Structure formats: structure tokens, C-alpha cells
Amino acid sequence: MSDSVYMPLLDLACGAFLLAGVLVLWRRDLAAIVRLFALQGAALAALVIVLAAHEGSAGLAAAGVAVGGLRAGLLPHLMRRALVAGGEGQESRPLVNVATSLLVAAVLAMVAYDASQPLVRLTPTPATQAVPVALTVLLVGFFVLVTRRRALSQVVGFLLMDNAITATAFLTAGGVPLVVELGVSLDVLLAVLVLQVLTLRMRAAFGGTDLDELRELRD
Amino acid sequence: MNAAGASLLSALGLCLVSALAGATAPRRVRPLLAGLGTACAGAAAAAAGVAALAGQSWSAWLPGVLPLAGARLALDPLGGMFVAVTGAVAVCAAVYGIGYAKHGVDGRVTQATLPLFLGAMLLVPVAASVSTLLVAWELMAVTSLLLVLAEHARRPAVAEAGLWYAVMTHLGFAAIVAGMAGFAAGAAGESFEQLRAATLSPAVRDAVFVATLAGFASKAGIVPLHVWLARAHPEAPSPVSALMSAAMVNMGVYGIVRVGLDLLRGGPSWWWLVVLAMGALSALFGILQAAVASDLKRLLGYSTTENMGLVLIGVGAAGFFASCGDKELAGLALVAALLHVVNHAGFKTLLFLAAGSVLRATGTRDLDALGGLRGRMPYTTALFAVGALAASALPPGNGFVSEWLLLQSLIHALPTSGVAGAVTMPPAVGVIALSAGLAIATFVKAFGVGFLARARTPAAGRAAESPPTMICGMALAAACCVALALAPAAVLPALSHLVAVLLPGHEAVGGVVTLRLADVQGTMSPLLIAAALAVAAALLLGSVRLVARRARRPARLWDCGAGPMTPRMEYTATSFAEPLQRVFDNVLAPESDLAVTPTKESAYLVESIHYRARIPDRIERRLYDPVLAAAASIGRGATRLANGSIHRYLAYGFYALTGVLLVLAVVW
């Protein structure tokens, strides 16, 4: 693949990746959040496949397809099932409101851009130039984890962070070894399954999945 | 490979095999297999140590064993001595442990950990690089901690003792890591040969010595780092107590000698005066606490602190003399200290094993609840008597020989060591004399109250003698004590030789039957003293027989007509120590409270009186309790940070991460 095709495609995939992450902060409808997450998974898969096409590596392409299957297919499917079983369609009151969240996301993007400059300077290739995007999504995911109340939003925040870590790995090092990637994916899958069970249990116990209800369980 | 290396490796291999046997064998044969394996490992280690003392040296580099640096092992005379002592103690404790295991310590974890503990203790003195030493040291700490916790399900005090031990041993480890890492950073590498060749600035040398001294002294139970010892040693199962108190604490001494005298090749005299002062303080404080303790194993634990203090007096004096340029006296003091390590290992093994035998038979360690064991446990009583005599530093015992040598080296210090020596050595002599006197009182109490007279409780009255394996283990230790007492010349030449290598000079002590000091006036013959005592005793008995020719006639003991005497009238451990407690009231600061409850009808008629007396460890009270209280209050204050909200906990992580990124973005 020539650079004139590679660069725009890479930028497009990264832009979709970033936009999906930020839009999670904007939407309060849980079903829409899951859709955005699926979109981000697809963007991540596309990103990996573009990298694979650029390097001409079949293994990397296979990894991209696997990543897409997991993050755009299986995980959103599981979350949708949890959503149907949970019966709650809305993120009720985020701890930080939507407008402020978007502002914070802008600030986080700047922090991430500045903090990742040393990494970019190490090898200034087009792929490494995109590392700030991944770091931004990581911080946004963490921010979702901190400010959203529903268990499902928390899962999405956690998975955004994981997507960002995977993206960083592919952008900087052409992916991690297969064993590590498999292990991490399995971890993520298990975490989602556990959180799905947790959501159901919380709903059975409290009638809602607001995590602040758990406050009284401390020692 | 020579004999020393072969036996050391076979000892380590046997440790692993016994650990495997302890972990997998069925419960019925587990103590037997693990115990026999450990005993064989101990014997092989003792052989390796003796071979090393005889002059064989062995070293190995195993690059694959530890990551990055590889394991570096070397057996030299100094390490060999500690390997030999550890091995010999392990033989006694392992044979004893076969019989003792039925007393609730035959679980898989305990039986598998004991050989590993022995292996770790053997690795410490043969480690020849910083990383190997640190790994072996930590392995020793962790395995011994597991063993201390063996009976945690039965007594809550065990968990507390384990916690104290875990914290203290890891603080000590941190100090050693800091010191040794600083040392290795200043040298060309981390093997001991490179450390010996290193030239460090005086400030770095001071820091290295002080840090390692703190770590090693805490392992040796030296005041003020002794608080774990008097808790952990009593709460461990008795064979483990013996291993810890007779072998593990020695590693602290080994570390100080190895780092201070070997790797740093001596130092300024204040280092060694600090060591000497810590030793003197430990000797006095330890024996005072032992004298007033009424828990038999706690008493022995404090006695360990005392004896390690005496050893450190010797080590400190040796370093001090060496820094003053008096190599001969330095050699004598170090020989005395190392001989005391050997002697202490012998009698402390015996005493802890005998205490375990009493504990097994009566279920208690409280001297006030014992008594009357002489008739029911004759072997244990006789063997404890041997140990008590040895620990009292009286002439036919082995403790006497080393303390005499130590006194000789200190007394002859005056002419050469200048003002510092003239000021410090006489008090040190006084400390040794006082601690010897108090040790006699302590062990008269332990033996007289614990074993003689009449049983104070039904449990003590029902005591039965221990099984043969336990007696065999104790008898082995007793035989070592007697041999060391009568023929110290069997080990003294080897020790003198090793010291002459360490502090270049000629051998400090010679002679076979009569010990002759090479550089100062002084001769002593333990064998002749023992023979003279035996002859005197025989003469006395014979003359009593001659004078009292009438036949024996049983009669009732005179009881002032007050009716039969009850065990309640006997001296207890507390009452026996009471005069001592009065004399040292200011030091010990005993606590007592008296609650008198009058009857309802009249304030002048007493219904009941409750009296409680306690002698707390004053150093712990003054030094540790404030620190613990401060830590606890900080912890309570910090719970305000954790209010239970998941979002808040996540936010802490988020703020920390973005904060770090911001700092990086600004700084970079």
C-alpha cells in the first residue's frame, strides 16, 4: 500500500476511534453507548487491518479480524443482552454533566497529546504519530469509569481503556505477542461476563444498577 | 569437587528431598521420612562445615539459578563454621522432631517447610554474592515465618507473634538490602571478591556498615531490635524454636562479622564500640528479662538475646582491638565470640528441646504451673540440668569456657587500646560478670521451680516421659555440650585458624588439655577443673557416708506442726525472682494492680483480693508502642479518604494518572 493511500486511511481509522470514544460521553442512552462502543471496536479493527496492509503482514491482519470480532461483535452483543435483561435505558444523572464532560475530554486530549510527545519522538512514523489518539481514549475511558453511575456505562468505560491500550500496542509495536493478546482478550471477556452477572444481581437486589448503592457494603 | 562441596550439595539436595517427602508422604510416615531426611541433611552439612574448617575451600557459580546475576556459592572457614553449627543443630532438632510431630505439627506445610528452612540457613553462610545472600536471607525469613505460624489455629498469640516477626524481619531485610546494594554499587560488581577489592569513601562505608548492622542485629535479636524474638521463639513449635534460637540468630552474627571484618576489612573504632555497646545492652537487658520471666520458652528466648549480646561484645571488642592495631587481642576476642556461638547453639538447642518435651507432657510453659517433673520425666530433667549448667557459665559447663576467654581478652585490653579502651573495657567486663551472675539465678529458677519439688498443678502431676526419639535428639545435643565443655580444644584450633585468616595474625589459643593463650598471660584446663570437681564431690559424698554410719530412716519433713505441706507453699518462679525484681525495680518497671472487694455488709471485711503483676518489656513500651499508636492513628485518619464510594476510589486513580501525565508533560 502506498503512503498516499495509507496515511488517509490510518487517519480516518484513528479519527473514528477517537470520535466514538468522545461521543460515549455525549450520549446518555445506554443502547446508543453500546452502539458507539461497537463502532469503536470496528474502527480499532480497521486500524489494525490498515497497519497490516501497510506492512504486508497476514498475521497482523488476522489479529485485526480477531480484534474486530471480539470488540465489535461479541462484547457489544453481550452488553446488549445485559441491557435487555436490566431494563434500564438511560444513564440517570452522571456525576459530571454532559457539557462539562465534553470540555474535560478536550482538556484530556491536550494532556494526552503533550504527554505522548516523548513517545512520538522515539520513532516519528505515521503510526506513532497517532499514539496521542489512543492515550486520549484511555483517559476518556477512565473518565467514563469515574463519572458514570450505571454498571453498564462502567463496563463501557473499562472497555474503552482496554481498546486504547490495544490500539497503543498496535500503533507503537505492531501488536503484542499472540499469547499476551489472547490472555488480555480472555480477561476482558471474563470481566464483561462477570459484570453482566453483577448487573443482574444488582438489579435483583436494589432494583437498579446505580453503583453508588454499593456504598453501604464496605467493611 | 572436593569433600566439602560434595557434602554441602548433598545436604542441600537432601533438604529438597525431605521437603518433597514432607509435602507428599501420607501422614503416618510423614514425620519419620521428613525428619530422617532433615537429620541426614544436617549431618552432611555438619561434615561440609567441618571440612571447610579443616581448610578445604569450595566455590561454584550457577548462572541459571537466579536471573541476571546467577547464584554464587563459596565455602570458606568462616562460613563453614556456621554451616557446621547449623547442621549439628538440625540433626538434633530433626531427630527430636520425629517424636514431637504427633504433637500437632505433622501437617504438610510444616513438615515440608522445615527442611527448606534448613536449606536456606545453609545457603546464607555459603552465599558469595550480594544477590545470592539476599535471596537466601529472604528464603530463611519466609520459611521461618511459616514455621512460627504452624500452630496459629490453636493459640491467638501465635498470629500476633507472627505479625511482629514478619514486620521486624522485613524491616531488617530492607536495611540489609539498602546496605548491600549501596556496597555493590560502589564496588566493581556484586560478588564478594569484588566487594573486598572495592575502595569506598568513608561516608559510604559508614552507611553500609550501619545499615547492615541494623539488619543483622535485628536477626540476632539484639536490643532494641529484639522484640520479635521473645514472642516468636516461644510460639514456634519446639524443634523450630531450637533451630531459630540456636542456628538462625547466629546468621545475624555471621552477617556482622562477614560484612564488617571481612568485606569492609574492619573500620573506624566507633563502629565496633557501637557493636560492643549494643551487645552489652542486650546481654544485661536479655538476662534481666529472662530472670523475671515465668514462661519457660520466653525465658529461653530472652536468654538468647543475652547470649547474642555476649557474642557481640566479643565481636565488637575484636573489631575495636583490630582498629587499634592489636591483632593478637582482636583474634582472642573473636575466637571467644565464635566459640560462644558454638556453645550457645549447643545448650540452647538442648534447652529448647527439653522445654518442648515439658510442654508436650504437661501442656503448659508456665513455670508457676510446673514442678515435680523429676520423678515422672527423669531423662528430660537430667538433660535440662545439663543444659542449665551449660547456660549458667559455671565451670564444668561449656558456656564457662567461652566467657572466660572473652573476659581474658577484655581484661588485657588496657595497655594498648588507649583512652577509649580504658573507658569501655572495664564496664564490659562488669556487664559480662553481672550477666553471668543473673544467668545462674535464671537457670536455677528454671530448673529448680520447673522440675524439682512437687507438682503445682494436676497437669504437671500427670506428666509422662517423652518418646525415645525426642530423648535421643536431646541426648545428642547434651553430648555436644559435654564434649565442648570437657574438650574445647577439639574446636578451638579450627576457630583460631579461621580467625587468623580473617584478622591476619597467628593462632590465639593453643593447648590440648590446658588451654594456653598465645599473647596474654592465661591458662585454663576445663578437663582438670571438671575432674577436680568430680573428685571433690566424690570425697564429700564418701565422707558423709563415713560420718553418717547409721541406717537410713524415713521421717516426715518438719512442717512447724502446721499439717501437711501443699504445693501452694512452694516457691514459684515469680516469688523466686521477686528479690531480683526489687533490686532492678527501676530498670524493669514492673506493673501490678491490686483490687480489693469488700463484702456488702462491712467495708472492713474483705470478700476477695485480685492481684495481677506483669513485667512488660520496657523497651517495647517506650520505643515501639508510640510508633505503633502513631501508625494506627494515621490509619484511622486515612479511612476518611475511603468512604465506600466506588466512584471516589476510581477518581483517585484517575487524578493520580492525569496528575503524573501533567507533571511529565510540564517537566519533559
Side-chain angles (χ1 to χ4, degrees):
Chain A
M1 191 188 287
S2 70
D3 269 3
S4 59
V5 187
Y6 165 63
M7 296 275 284
L9 279 180
L10 188 70
D11 288 348
L12 182 65
C14 287
F17 186 71
L18 177 64
L19 196 64
V22 174
L23 286 183
V24 167
L25 283 174
W26 174 50
R27 296 304 299 264
R28 284 171 55 178
D29 180 18
L30 291 180
I33 289 179
V34 174
R35 273 200 301 279
L36 282 171
F37 172 70
L39 175 66
Q40 196 187 38
L44 178 59
L47 174 67
V48 178
I49 290 168
V50 168
L51 286 174
H54 179 63
E55 289 174 19
S57 150
L60 202 54
V65 170
V67 163
L70 180 69
R71 287 162 204 264
L74 184 58
L75 295 178
H77 172 66
L78 287 173
M79 283 192 280
R80 250 178 241 120
R81 267 179 39 191
L83 195 61
V84 170
E88 287 171 328
Q90 289 278 321
E91 169 66 49
S92 52
R93 288 176 293 115
L95 292 170
V96 175
N97 65 32
V98 171
T100 319
S101 297
L102 290 173
L103 275 179
V104 170
V107 174
L108 291 178
M110 285 190 277
V111 171
Y113 182 78
D114 202 8
S116 53
Q117 284 313 304
L119 274 178
V120 177
R121 276 201 298 276
L122 285 178
T123 45
T125 59
T128 328
Q129 304 267 359
V131 164
V133 169
L135 201 56
T136 308
V137 173
L138 178 93
L139 291 176
V140 167
F142 209 159
F143 187 69
V144 169
L145 208 54
V146 173
T147 56
R148 297 302 186 257
R149 287 174 186 270
R150 296 285 163 215
L152 198 84
S153 316
Q154 300 257 315
V155 176
V156 171
F158 173 69
L159 291 173
L160 285 187
M161 290 177 71
D162 190 64
N163 276 352
I165 292 168
T166 312
T168 312
F170 280 110
L171 286 173
T172 53
V176 289
L178 184 66
V179 180
V180 179
E181 181 57 38
L182 276 180
V184 172
S185 299
L186 204 61
D187 268 2
V188 169
L189 193 59
L190 275 178
V192 170
L193 288 173
V194 168
L195 282 165
Q196 188 187 4
V197 173
L198 182 73
T199 312
L200 290 179
R201 288 293 168 99
M202 274 182 70
R203 182 157 172 73
F206 307 113
T209 59
D210 187 340
L211 281 178
D212 273 353
E213 302 280 344
L214 288 178
R215 186 183 291 242
E216 293 306 316
L217 288 179
R218 71 175 194 275
D219 57 14
Chain B
M1 188 185 297
N2 56 19
S7 5
L8 182 73
L9 287 184
S10 57
L12 293 174
L14 277 166
C15 285
L16 283 181
V17 171
S18 329
L20 210 61
T24 54
R27 185 176 285 266
R28 206 160 33 82
V29 292
R30 194 186 299 153
L32 183 68
L33 288 180
L36 276 182
T38 313
C40 292
V50 168
L53 274 174
Q56 288 191 16
S57 64
W58 171 82
S59 64
W61 184 49
L62 312 167
V65 176
L66 290 177
L68 301 180
R72 209 177 275 278
L73 303 178
L75 195 56
D76 62 351
L78 176 65
M81 187 213 114
F82 285 89
V83 167
V85 169
T86 307
V89 172
V91 173
C92 304
V95 172
Y96 176 93
I98 298 172
Y100 189 84
K102 292 202 183 68
H103 190 57
V105 289
D106 55 352
R108 279 178 203 287
V109 176
T110 312
Q111 291 291 325
T113 315
L114 190 72
L116 290 181
F117 176 42
L118 172 62
M121 281 199 295
L122 295 177
L123 279 176
V124 168
V126 298
S129 71
V130 171
S131 51
T132 317
L133 176 73
L134 293 177
V135 168
W137 191 269
E138 181 61 6
L139 189 62
M140 178 172 85
V142 170
T143 47
S144 59
L145 178 62
L146 277 179
L147 291 170
V148 166
L149 290 172
E151 297 181 29
H152 70 97
R154 288 199 229 161
R155 284 172 282 130
V158 175
E160 199 205 337
L163 191 61
W164 273 93
Y165 178 42
V167 172
M168 290 299 292
T169 191
H170 281 101
L171 286 180
F173 182 64
I176 296 173
V177 169
M180 294 307 270
F183 198 172
E190 57 127 30
S191 82
F192 281 1
E193 276 155 25
Q194 286 161 320
L195 295 189
R196 277 185 203 108
T199 44
L200 303 176
S201 72
V204 175
R205 284 166 61 86
D206 290 350
V208 167
F209 183 74
V210 170
T212 51
L213 175 65
F216 289 129
S218 88
K219 186 57 85 181
I222 291 299
V223 173
L225 307 167
H226 66 290
V227 281
W228 64 273
L229 195 148
R231 290 168 193 270
H233 288 203
E235 297 300 343
S238 293
V240 178
S241 304
L243 270 173
M244 288 175 73
S245 216
M248 190 181 76
V249 291
N250 297 346
M251 296 309 159
V253 176
Y254 166 78
I256 295 171
V257 173
R258 175 67 85 192
V259 172
L261 288 175
D262 181 17
L263 300 181
L264 289 169
R265 301 178 312 281
S269 55
W270 68 264
W271 288 7
W272 302 106
L273 290 178
V274 168
V275 173
L276 196 147
M278 285 170 78
L281 194 63
S282 309
L284 267 190
F285 186 82
I287 199 62
L288 259 180
Q289 287 286 343
V292 294
S294 58
D295 178 326
L296 181 55
K297 285 177 80 174
R298 197 173 163 83
L299 178 152
L300 295 177
Y302 273 120
S303 152
T304 300
T305 292
E306 179 232 344
N307 283 292
M308 285 300 117
L310 292 176
V311 171
L312 280 206
I313 291 180
V315 172
F320 176 70
F321 295 145
S323 74
C324 294
D326 191 344
K327 298 278 183 209
E328 287 75 23
L329 265 186
L332 180 58
L334 196 56
V335 168
L338 294 180
L339 183 63
H340 199 67
V341 167
V342 178
N343 284 333
H344 170 253
F347 66 71
K348 198 47 67 72
T349 310
L350 174 55
L351 288 171
F352 259 117
L353 296 183
S357 177
V358 170
L359 175 62
R360 184 194 147 279
T362 64
T364 181
R365 316 187 301 238
D366 187 359
L367 284 172
D368 288 346
L370 293 172
L373 300 177
R374 186 181 49 169
R376 304 193 64 96
M377 306 177 73
Y379 297 113
T380 303
T381 306
L383 291 165
F384 190 90
V386 171
L389 179 65
S392 318
L394 280 181
N398 55 357
F400 171 70
V401 182
S402 42
E403 292 202 22
W404 180 80
L405 285 175
L406 190 54
L407 280 175
Q408 289 297 323
S409 72
L410 297 183
I411 288 170
H412 289 94
L414 286 175
T416 51
S417 55
V419 179
V423 172
T424 45
M425 293 306 148
V429 171
V431 164
I432 294 176
L434 181 57
S435 68
L438 287 171
I440 294 169
T442 305
F443 285 99
V444 165
K445 177 183 84 173
F447 182 63
V449 174
F451 291 84
L452 304 183
R454 282 163 61 184
R456 292 181 182 79
T457 51
R462 286 191 303 271
E465 185 57 276
S466 303
T469 45
M470 287 170 65
I471 293 176
C472 180
M474 289 188 275
L476 276 173
C480 291
C481 283
V482 171
L484 283 169
L486 296 183
V491 293
L492 271 172
L495 293 183
S496 303
H497 178 69
L498 112 78
V499 169
V501 172
L502 203 61
L503 302 167
H506 53 92
E507 297 183 1
V509 185
V512 179
V513 175
T514 305
L515 303 180
R516 285 194 183 76
L517 307 186
D519 306 294
V520 294
Q521 284 283 316
T523 52
M524 197 261 290
S525 170
L527 194 60
L528 291 185
I529 291 178
L533 277 171
V535 169
L539 278 179
L540 193 67
L541 280 179
S543 49
V544 166
R545 281 276 165 84
L546 273 178
V547 174
R549 273 172 179 266
R550 278 187 298 173
R552 284 192 187 183
R553 169 173 67 87
R556 205 178 128 193
L557 197 64
W558 171 242
D559 53 14
C560 307
M565 295 208 277
T566 70
R568 290 273 293 157
M569 297 173 179
E570 288 172 355
Y571 259 103
T572 61
T574 314
S575 57
F576 186 88
E578 209 272 342
L580 274 177
Q581 187 186 316
R582 268 173 200 275
V583 173
F584 293 100
D585 193 61
N586 288 332
V587 185
L588 292 169
E591 293 171 356
S592 61
D593 50 15
L594 185 67
V596 181
T597 318
T599 57
K600 277 187 193 129
E601 291 78 21
S602 161
Y604 299 105
L605 297 177
V606 173
E607 189 173 22
S608 65
I609 297 179
H610 284 277
Y611 176 73
R612 263 185 84 246
R614 236 185 117 245
I615 302 177
D617 189 321
R618 207 170 171 202
I619 291 179
E620 184 187 321
R621 183 66 56 93
R622 286 286 173 83
L623 224 57
Y624 287 77
D625 285 1
V627 175
L628 293 181
S633 80
I634 291 174
R636 270 195 304 278
T639 53
R640 252 176 289 160
L641 292 174
N643 70 343
S645 160
I646 292 171
H647 290 103
R648 185 184 267 227
Y649 299 157
L650 287 167
Y652 289 145
F654 180 68
Y655 290 144
L657 178 63
T658 43
V660 168
L661 286 181
L662 275 176
V663 168
L664 280 181
V666 171
V667 174
W668 232 319

